[in-house]
């Protein structure tokens, strides 16, 4: 069993895994692939989505298959990893954490927090959001994980 995996080999340390939401595909991340990001980028098309539409037994579609595919992908990476998931992709990445064979810091008391930034009003067709990774947690020297479910721009 294999699915389509879009890959861009980077020149900097670190790999960013980008997972689309339901009914989406790796095409969602076209702007990231065409940017000047120097990290390795991996964006799978989940089975039944995008370029992975064919070749899977339809009775196997769902969380179990998706979670196994993502867990295998993440465990195959020999590098620092930043996981980015949109909607279903974010949920799937959180579901894989019990099976990921690397150190990470779990949020013991998960809660939803609003993070609001205010900018001067200006007309724009695109907005670029850049998140700088700390690479290592300053207190326990562990890998830093960041999950973003939505960015709302009004």
């Amino acid at each position: 069993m294999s699915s389509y995996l879009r890959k861009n080999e980077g020149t900097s340390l670190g790999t960013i895994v980008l997972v689309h939401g339901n009914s989406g595909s790796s095409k969602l991340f076209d702007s990231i692939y065409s940017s000047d990001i120097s990290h390795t980028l991996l964006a799978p098309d989940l089975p039944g989505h995008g370029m992975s539409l064919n070749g899977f037994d339809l009775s196997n579609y769902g969380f179990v298959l998706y979670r196994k595919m993502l867990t295998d992908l993440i465990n195959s990476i020999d590098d620092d990893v930043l996981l980015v998931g949109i909607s279903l992709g974010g949920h799937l990445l959180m579901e894989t954490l019990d099976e990921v064979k690397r150190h990470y810091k779990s949020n013991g008391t998960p809660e939803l927090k609003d993070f609001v930034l205010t900018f001067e009003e200006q007309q724009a067709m695109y907005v670029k959001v850049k998140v700088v990774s700390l690479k290592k947690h300053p207190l326990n020297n562990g890998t830093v994980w960041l999950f973003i479910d939505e960015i709302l721009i009004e």
Side-chain angles (χ1 to χ4, degrees):
M1 166 181 51
S2 64
S3 66
Y4 176 75
L5 178 65
R6 186 173 179 187
K7 184 173 185 175
N8 184 23
E9 198 68 47
T11 57
S12 296
L13 289 178
T15 297
I16 303 172
V17 177
L18 305 158
V19 184
H20 62 81
N22 189 40
S23 301
S25 75
S26 60
K27 298 279 293 168
L28 174 69
F29 304 108
D30 279 352
S31 62
I32 296 173
Y33 273 84
S34 62
S35 73
D36 59 357
I37 290 177
S38 60
H39 301 289
T40 296
L41 301 174
L42 297 177
D45 279 346
L46 296 172
H49 297 78
M51 299 294 287
S52 294
L53 282 173
N54 299 318
F56 292 92
D57 177 1
L58 291 177
S59 65
N60 288 331
Y61 280 74
F63 262 60
V64 173
L65 176 64
Y66 298 159
R67 186 175 60 219
K68 177 170 179 11
M69 186 198 84
L70 290 173
T71 300
D72 291 347
L73 173 64
I74 295 164
N75 285 335
S76 73
I77 300 169
D78 188 27
D79 197 359
D80 288 339
V81 178
L82 172 65
L83 303 175
V84 178
I86 306 295
S87 191
L88 172 66
H91 187 92
L92 286 166
L93 289 171
M94 287 188 285
E95 291 284 329
T96 66
L97 294 181
D98 287 340
E99 299 173 36
V100 170
K101 294 176 174 71
R102 59 178 54 232
H103 297 291
Y104 66 92
K105 177 71 174 156
S106 178
N107 182 355
T109 54
E111 59 184 283
L112 181 63
K113 293 185 179 182
D114 288 334
F115 181 79
V116 179
L117 296 175
T118 306
F119 300 95
E120 289 183 35
E121 186 172 324
Q122 55 185 306
Q123 289 188 347
M125 289 182 64
Y126 302 99
V127 176
K128 180 178 182 178
V129 177
K130 183 176 182 179
V131 178
V132 179
S133 172
L134 297 174
K135 291 284 186 192
K136 298 293 181 190
H137 189 280
L139 298 178
N140 69 4
N141 202 29
T143 302
V144 176
W145 295 69
L146 174 67
F147 294 97
I148 299 174
D149 186 51
E150 297 185 331
I151 297 175
L152 302 175
I153 299 174
E154 298 178 10

